[in-house]
């Protein structure tokens, strides 16, 4: 079995089975991350929006980071690129799924937060830089395309600005009777656990998620080789969907715990780090620039993710109280956009 797991391609049956097992493992690990993350957000005083977007985003993105790195090293850059941008599209759709569990009003209405709006704007900038990288000249600096440096600089600069804006905000969401403020609340036995131990548990669960990402990446490589499925479909839809599982489960679990701000922050933060997965792929891929290895399918998914992020940002600003089937207008558009993207890639 060890030799079988280290050699690719795997038999189709084994690939599908391991894909499913790793996905289930990711779901259970993500549920645990919600509890630990919510406690740490209150314990550190950083708040659900910032903690969710940065630390939650990192922990839930570990599997996607591993997927992108493994496939890029294996000379499958389209799989790695598709996984990153496909995960963003799937995770953005997760907001609509979580909204269905928030019964009183539209989730974006209840989770009004300046930090979430700014993280949405940052994500749009990162996706735009990725697209610009694909159409810029194919040059490298220290083995990386200039777009990779620009994306890292934009992310770090964005974090700095968002952190500063929280100290003395010049724009605030108007509170309504349905707005759920980010305030500390009881976490049961975890309130009696030391902060160090909480961080250790948080890191351990994140490591477990990353192991699942390695298994999924190898299974995806095998499916492309054995079944003949396109790298765009496997990367953006199959890997992207599993990549989105942590954020989806996190968002739903956070809503059920009464932490809607954390739900939105986990999605937007995870998406921002998934955009930086392209930088990881650019480092791991030795055949040139990963941005220029992206084909029409990968660029189509990138544009779709960019559109969907703009729709979500619009929902956070409009703050519609309710809409069709308990979803706001953005939830309907997100579900329709993801379904359309999937149908186009499947043809």
């Amino acid at each position: 079995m060890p030799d079988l797991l280290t050699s690719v391609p795997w038999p189709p049956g084994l690939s599908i089975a391991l894909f499913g097992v790793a996905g289930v493992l990711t779901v259970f690990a993500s549920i645990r991350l919600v509890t630990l993350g919510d406690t740490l957000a209150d314990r550190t005083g950083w708040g659900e929006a910032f903690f969710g977007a940065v630390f939650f985003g990192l922990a839930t993105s570990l599997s996607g980071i591993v997927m992108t790195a493994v496939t890029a090293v294996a000379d499958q850059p389209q799989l790695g690129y598709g996984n990153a941008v496909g995960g963003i599209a799937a995770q953005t759709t997760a907001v609509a799924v979580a909204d269905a569990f928030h019964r009183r009003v539209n989730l974006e209405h209840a989770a009004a937060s300046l930090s979430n709006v700014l993280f949405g704007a940052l994500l749009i900038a990162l996706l735009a830089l990725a697209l610009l990288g694909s159409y810029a000249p194919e040059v490298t600096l220290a083995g990386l395309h200039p777009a990779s440096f620009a994306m890292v600089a934009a992310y770090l600069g964005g974090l700095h600005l968002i952190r500063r804006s929280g100290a003395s905000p010049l724009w605030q969401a108007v509170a309504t009777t349905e707005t759920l403020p980010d305030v500390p609340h009881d976490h049961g036995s975890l309130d009696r656990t030391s902060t160090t131990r909480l961080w250790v548990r948080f890191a351990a669960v994140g490591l477990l998620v990353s192991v699942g990402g390695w298994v999924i990446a190898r299974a995806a490589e095998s499916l492309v080789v054995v079944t003949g499925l396109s790298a765009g479909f496997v990367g953006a839809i199959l890997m992207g969907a599993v990549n989105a599982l942590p954020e989806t489960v996190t968002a739903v679990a956070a809503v059920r715990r009464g932490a809607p701000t954390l739900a939105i922050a986990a999605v937007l933060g995870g998406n921002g780090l998934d955009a930086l997965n392209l930088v990881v792929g650019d480092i791991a891929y030795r055949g040139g620039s990963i941005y220029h290895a992206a084909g029409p399918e990968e660029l189509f998914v990138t544009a779709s993710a960019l559109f969907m992020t703009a729709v979500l940002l619009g929902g956070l600003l409009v703050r519609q109280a309710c809409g069709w089937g308990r979803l706001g207008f953005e939830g309907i558009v997100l579900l329709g956009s993801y379904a359309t993207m999937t149908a186009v890639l499947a043809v």
Side-chain angles (χ1 to χ4, degrees):
M1 179 62 75
D3 292 337
L4 182 61
L5 290 178
T6 54
S7 61
V8 173
W10 296 338
L14 178 63
S15 297
I16 294 172
L18 291 177
F19 210 98
V21 169
V24 172
L25 176 70
T26 299
V27 168
F28 284 105
S30 300
I31 293 173
R32 185 58 178 164
L33 279 175
V34 172
T35 306
L36 292 169
D38 192 19
T39 306
L40 283 168
D42 290 342
R43 185 76 61 85
T44 59
W46 291 335
E48 292 174 357
F50 190 84
F51 186 92
V54 179
F55 294 99
F56 239 78
L58 176 60
T60 56
S61 294
L62 282 173
S63 61
I65 292 171
V66 173
M67 290 183 213
T68 298
V70 169
T71 50
V73 168
D75 201 28
Q76 292 277 4
Q78 291 182 328
L79 269 180
Y81 191 106
N83 166 64
V85 294
I88 292 172
Q91 286 156 199
T92 306
T93 309
V95 173
V97 176
D99 197 1
F101 287 85
H102 194 263
R103 300 182 180 277
R104 297 184 59 176
V105 294
N106 181 17
L107 176 60
E108 288 83 342
H109 179 100
S113 163
L114 174 59
S115 292
N116 280 341
V117 170
L118 292 177
F119 271 111
L122 175 59
L123 178 57
I124 288 176
L126 293 173
L127 288 170
L129 285 171
L131 280 176
L132 288 171
S134 297
Y135 292 102
E138 189 173 359
V139 297
T140 58
L141 179 62
L144 297 178
H145 191 274
S148 292
F149 294 102
M151 289 178 70
V152 172
Y155 183 77
L156 294 177
L159 286 185
H160 176 67
L161 291 175
I162 293 169
R163 189 67 176 147
R164 284 186 59 188
S165 70
S168 55
L170 298 177
W171 180 96
Q172 288 182 329
V174 175
T176 70
T177 56
E178 298 296 342
T179 303
L180 295 181
D182 175 11
V183 295
H185 52 275
D186 181 66
H187 305 95
S189 62
L190 289 179
D191 285 332
R192 298 185 294 274
T193 304
S194 69
T195 302
T196 301
R197 193 172 265 188
L198 287 173
W199 278 114
V200 170
R201 291 183 186 178
F202 192 82
V205 177
L207 179 61
L208 189 63
V209 171
S210 67
V211 171
W214 179 86
V215 174
I216 292 167
R218 301 309 293 260
E221 289 176 48
S222 301
L223 289 173
V224 170
V225 173
V226 175
T227 66
L229 290 170
S230 72
F233 180 80
V234 173
I237 303 303
L238 299 185
M239 291 178 70
V242 177
N243 187 7
L245 276 176
E247 284 81 2
T248 303
V249 174
T250 295
V252 172
V255 165
R256 294 178 67 88
R257 284 176 59 86
T261 301
L262 181 61
I264 300 293
V267 169
L268 289 174
N271 282 352
L273 286 163
D274 272 348
L276 291 186
N277 276 357
L278 295 176
V279 178
V280 174
D282 199 26
I283 295 172
Y285 179 51
R286 295 294 84 195
S289 161
I290 195 170
Y291 306 99
H292 292 84
E297 290 181 330
E298 288 75 32
L299 296 179
F300 169 69
V301 176
T302 306
S304 298
L306 186 58
F307 169 75
M308 294 170 71
T309 303
V311 170
L312 175 56
L313 185 56
L316 288 171
L317 291 171
V318 172
R319 300 182 65 199
Q320 185 180 18
C322 61
W324 303 324
R326 292 208 306 264
L327 298 180
F329 77 90
E330 69 282 356
I332 302 298
V333 176
L334 290 177
L335 291 171
S337 299
Y338 190 75
T340 301
M341 184 191 78
T342 303
V344 169
L345 292 176
V347 172

